[in-house]
């Protein structure tokens, strides 16, 4: 019984550590960036990206992002197949998850309205900045 309790305690400590330092968000974001750019030398790319992150943190320059305005618009337009100017909440959540900007257990509130490009862009930018600024 004591061994199982000790294991659960260590598991909880590990989960709390990962949550506190937002490690899963960082790993998801790095993975998404790798898949988006598909560099020939992925390890060097990751080292470079993390180094730019470190420099941005020290100097206050903009954090490295892989989703610029045109990428965000293109992604939104791919989801808005009927050209209504909105996407569904499910599409929105899945896009944030795919980009590594939302965790599987995160609860997002659906206000019942479609997600506009402005809301989508603002949320992607806000969450990207939030993820990077944590590190």
């Amino acid at each position: 019984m004591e061994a199982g309790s000790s294991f659960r305690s260590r598991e909880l400590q590990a989960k709390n550590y990962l949550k506190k330092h937002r490690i899963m968000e960082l790993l998801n974001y790095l993975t998404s960036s790798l898949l988006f750019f598909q560099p020939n030398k992925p390890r060097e790319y990751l080292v470079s990206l993390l180094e730019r992150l470190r420099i941005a943190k020290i100097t206050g320059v903009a954090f490295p992002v892989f989703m610029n305005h045109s990428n965000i618009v293109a992604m939104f337009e791919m989801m808005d197949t009927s050209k209504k100017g909105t996407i569904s909440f499910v599409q929105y959540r899945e896009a944030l998850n795919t980009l590594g900007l939302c965790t599987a257990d995160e609860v997002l509130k659906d206000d019942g309205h479609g997600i506009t490009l402005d809301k989508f862009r603002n949320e992607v930018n806000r969450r990207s900045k939030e993820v990077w600024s944590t590190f």
Side-chain angles (χ1 to χ4, degrees):
M1 178 85 172
E2 189 173 312
S5 176
S6 176
F7 174 77
R8 282 190 293 279
S9 175
R10 290 289 299 152
E11 184 179 26
L12 184 60
Q13 286 176 344
K15 284 181 180 180
N16 288 338
Y17 177 84
L18 292 173
K19 186 174 184 175
K20 176 182 177 185
H21 295 285
R22 302 190 65 174
I23 299 301
M24 297 313 296
E25 288 93 333
L26 174 63
L27 292 176
N28 285 337
Y29 200 80
L30 292 172
T31 302
S32 295
S33 182
L34 274 176
L35 294 175
F36 184 80
F37 288 111
Q38 297 184 4
N40 290 329
K41 298 180 178 181
R43 288 179 185 89
E44 289 178 21
Y45 172 79
L46 288 173
V47 169
S48 171
L49 190 58
L50 289 168
E51 180 63 18
R52 289 186 310 186
L53 173 62
R54 186 184 71 78
I55 290 169
K57 186 84 167 177
I58 292 169
T59 63
V61 299
F63 289 101
V65 294
F66 71 93
M67 288 297 288
N68 63 26
H69 177 72
S70 64
N71 298 134
I72 294 170
V73 170
M75 185 176 205
F76 184 88
E77 288 175 349
M78 285 190 306
M79 293 183 289
D80 182 20
T81 57
S82 63
K83 308 295 182 214
K84 295 185 303 183
T86 61
I87 59 174
S88 72
F89 183 78
V90 172
Q91 290 171 307
Y92 166 71
R93 179 167 175 53
E94 188 59 32
L96 291 178
N97 195 10
T98 299
L99 294 171
L101 298 174
C102 167
T103 60
D105 61 343
E106 182 177 356
V107 176
L108 297 175
K109 295 184 180 182
D110 183 358
D111 63 6
H113 298 94
I115 308 299
T116 64
L117 173 58
D118 284 341
K119 181 174 181 174
F120 181 68
R121 181 181 52 238
N122 291 340
E123 196 63 15
V124 168
N125 289 334
R126 182 187 71 76
R127 286 172 174 268
S128 296
K129 194 176 293 185
E130 187 178 288
V131 166
W132 287 121
S133 67
T134 307
F135 304 101

